[in-house]
């Protein structure tokens, strides 16, 4: 039976990590924040966050560095997908092999590297539709409720199912999924349609309700790939799923829109890029997604 379930170390305290750290601390967990790069940290760390009701909370997590890796019992990685490798690299050979690694980011494609770098660690994947905003380096806002799924990416991770219950005490609608790759693919479809379209137009997610033909065409291209990965659902199912998220988040700018607007790198290589790599392996041609990929790459600050 795994121990230390209530001591979480978070690698990546941005919008989502900051809010999750706050929610976990509020639910009685011990929370440490880890930095594996040289970015400056002002100590003692005092984080503020606002919950969905607008209530302000404060807490003081411990601060860890790479040299403290041997004491990490549970590692939740909440960096952007393109930061996962550089953030985890310094921990190779330092992190105890019994320590579970939980990966939480949009997009897919980091898992294979993590498996190779940490072959013995339990590896878990997380998917969430919660929303979070970073108000400053130490201030965060929980902006939207959603579902969170956690599931095993290797056999050693199966013993860690109790984590789902623990998470559910910190944030509502959290559950265990043996089919976590399906959950990742579902989110990937949503991100592969909404994010590049809105990042290119600079408009809010709700604008896609007026572009339903484009949404449908992008979903249609994905169907054979989804079937290959064991996801059922016809064109109507996937189009309606994407449009439902566009409707529910109509007033929001997608993360890719925000990344490009702020001159930050986007997660396109782990969203559309991942889709295209999978398609190539399956000898499938996805010209519309290919065009979106190239257009985003052209717009991304080098
Ligand atoms: P973010 O605000 O950019 O947070 C990422 C954090 O990781 C940053 O604070 C960054 O620090 C930190 N980081 C990078 N390398 C690090 C290292 N070596 N050591 C310690 N910290 C490191 O991004 P986010 O919005 O939280 O998103 C994180 C992931 O969750 C993304 O994949 C996103 O798509 C996904 N997601 C986000 C939301 C949301 O509402 N925000 C919802 C669902 C999913 P620096 O700023 O110093 O580089
Ligand atoms: O990346 C994002 O912005 C979000 O995952 C989503 C669901 C597209 C809503 O904006």
């Amino acid at each position: 039976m795994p121990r230390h379930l209530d001591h979480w170390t978070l690698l990546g305290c941005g919008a989502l990590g900051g809010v999750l750290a706050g929610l976990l601390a509020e639910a009685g967990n011990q929370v440490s924040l880890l930095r594996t790069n040289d970015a400056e940290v002002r100590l003692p760390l005092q984080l503020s966050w606002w919950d969905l009701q607008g209530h302000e909370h404060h807490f003081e997590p411990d601060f860890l560095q790479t040299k403290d890796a041997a004491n990490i019992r549970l590692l939740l990685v909440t960096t952007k997908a393109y930061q996962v490798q550089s953030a985890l690299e310094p921990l190779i050979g330092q992190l105890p092999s019994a320590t579970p690694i939980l990966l939480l980011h949009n997009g897919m494609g980091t898992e294979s590297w993590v498996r190779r770098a940490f072959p013995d660690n339990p590896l878990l994947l997380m998917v969430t539709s919660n929303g979070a905003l970073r108000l400053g380096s130490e201030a965060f806002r929980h902006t939207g409720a959603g579902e969170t799924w956690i599931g095993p990416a290797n056999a050693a991770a199966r013993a860690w199912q109790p984590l789902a219950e623990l998470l559910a005490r910190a944030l509502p609608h959290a559950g265990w999924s043996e089919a976590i790759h399906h959950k990742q693919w579902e989110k990937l479809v949503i991100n592969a349609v909404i994010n590049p379209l809105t990042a290119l137009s600079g408009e809010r997610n709700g604008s896609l309700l007026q572009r339903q033909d484009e949404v449908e065409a992008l979903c249609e291209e994905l169907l054979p790939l989804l079937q290959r990965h064991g996801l059922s659902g016809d064109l109507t199912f996937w189009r309606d799923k994407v449009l439902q998220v566009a409707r529910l988040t109509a007033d929001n700018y997608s993360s890719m829109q925000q990344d490009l607007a702020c001159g930050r790198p986007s997660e396109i290589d782990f969203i559309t890029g991942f889709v295209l790599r999978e398609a190539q392996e399956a000898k499938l041609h996805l010209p519309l997604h290919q065009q979106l990929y190239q257009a985003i790459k052209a717009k991304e600050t080098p």
Side-chain angles (χ1 to χ4, degrees), residues 155-203:
R158 293 226 151 72
W160 290 86
Q161 186 165 351
L163 281 176
E165 203 182 305
L166 203 77
L167 264 177
R169 284 188 220 150
L171 70 166
H173 313 299
W176 181 260
S177 172
E178 285 288 330
I180 194 67
H181 288 113
H182 283 191
K183 299 284 182 200
Q184 283 192 311
W185 270 97
E186 283 172 14
K187 182 94 196 266
L188 190 71
V189 171
I190 292 164
N191 288 133
V193 178
I194 294 182
N195 293 30
L197 286 179
T198 53
L200 291 171
S201 71
E203 292 180 314

Side-chain angles (χ1 to χ4, degrees), residues 81-101:
Y82 55 79
Q83 296 167 323
V84 167
Q85 186 170 337
S86 63
L88 281 174
E89 224 150 31
L91 298 177
I92 295 175
Q94 309 293 318
L95 192 71
S97 59
T99 297
I101 301 174

Side-chain angles (χ1 to χ4, degrees), residues 189 192-193 212-227 233-240 242 275 284-289:
V189 171
V193 178
Q212 299 199 10
D213 290 352
E214 286 168 85
V215 168
E216 182 166 314
L218 285 165
C219 288
E220 192 168 17
E221 261 193 14
L222 292 174
L223 280 183
L225 197 55
L226 294 173
Q227 278 157 10
D234 60 8
L235 179 56
T236 309
F237 171 86
W238 288 106
R239 185 203 56 207
D240 289 354
V242 172
V275 164
L284 292 166
H285 187 45
L286 312 186
L288 296 175
H289 288 274

Side-chain angles (χ1 to χ4, degrees), residues 191-205 207-208 211 214 218 252-262 264 266-268 272 287-301:
N191 288 133
V193 178
I194 294 182
N195 293 30
L197 286 179
T198 53
L200 291 171
S201 71
E203 292 180 314
R204 294 176 201 265
N205 294 351
S207 64
L208 297 183
R211 300 173 67 186
E214 286 168 85
L218 285 165
N252 297 0
Y253 288 104
S254 74
S255 54
M256 197 173 284
Q257 192 285 334
Q258 294 178 52
D259 286 338
L260 260 53
C262 296
R264 295 187 296 251
S266 79
E267 296 184 296
I268 192 75
T272 310
L288 296 175
H289 288 274
Q290 183 71 49
Q291 276 169 26
L292 288 181
Y293 178 79
Q294 277 157 355
I296 294 289
K297 285 307 241 188
K299 222 178 163 186
E300 229 172 12
T301 314

Side-chain angles (χ1 to χ4, degrees), residues 15-247:
L16 192 61
V19 165
L20 285 180
L23 287 164
L24 285 165
E26 196 74 12
N29 298 278
Q30 192 183 334
V31 176
S32 301
L33 301 184
L34 169 68
R35 266 220 168 266
T36 57
N37 58 16
D38 296 332
E40 248 179 59
V41 179
R42 209 174 53 189
L43 294 173
L45 269 180
Q46 276 201 319
L47 303 191
S48 309
W49 65 282
W50 283 260
D51 64 25
L52 288 170
Q53 287 72 40
H55 299 133
E56 187 175 348
H57 305 257
H58 302 275
F59 73 108
E60 279 188 29
D62 297 330
F63 172 63
L64 304 181
Q65 292 167 290
T66 307
K67 63 178 172 51
D68 306 310
N71 300 321
I72 297 173
R73 297 289 171 251
L74 190 56
L75 183 65
L76 170 56
V77 185
T78 48
T79 63
K80 293 277 197 178
Y82 55 79
Q83 296 167 323
V84 167
Q85 186 170 337
S86 63
L88 281 174
E89 224 150 31
L91 298 177
I92 295 175
Q94 309 293 318
L95 192 71
S97 59
T99 297
I101 301 174
L102 286 76
L103 295 181
L104 172 54
H105 56 71
N106 276 353
M108 293 176 74
T110 60
E111 183 188 328
S112 50
W113 178 84
V114 179
R115 277 172 184 281
R116 284 197 302 278
F118 299 90
D120 299 322
N121 291 73
L123 180 61
L124 296 105
L125 306 173
M126 278 173 73
V127 179
T128 191
S129 54
N130 275 268
L133 203 63
R134 191 178 183 171
L135 308 173
S137 61
E138 287 143 26
F140 312 93
R141 184 184 292 280
H142 192 188
T143 52
E147 289 180 354
T148 302
W149 293 100
I150 178 169
N154 61 13
R158 293 226 151 72
W160 290 86
Q161 186 165 351
L163 281 176
E165 203 182 305
L166 203 77
L167 264 177
R169 284 188 220 150
L171 70 166
H173 313 299
W176 181 260
S177 172
E178 285 288 330
I180 194 67
H181 288 113
H182 283 191
K183 299 284 182 200
Q184 283 192 311
W185 270 97
E186 283 172 14
K187 182 94 196 266
L188 190 71
V189 171
I190 292 164
N191 288 133
V193 178
I194 294 182
N195 293 30
L197 286 179
T198 53
L200 291 171
S201 71
E203 292 180 314
R204 294 176 201 265
N205 294 351
S207 64
L208 297 183
L209 300 173
Q210 270 73 57
R211 300 173 67 186
Q212 299 199 10
D213 290 352
E214 286 168 85
V215 168
E216 182 166 314
L218 285 165
C219 288
E220 192 168 17
E221 261 193 14
L222 292 174
L223 280 183
L225 197 55
L226 294 173
Q227 278 157 10
R228 187 180 146 90
H229 285 274
L231 283 97
S232 55
D234 60 8
L235 179 56
T236 309
F237 171 86
W238 288 106
R239 185 203 56 207
D240 289 354
K241 203 175 187 54
V242 172
L243 289 173
Q244 190 194 16
V245 175
R247 204 170 289 117

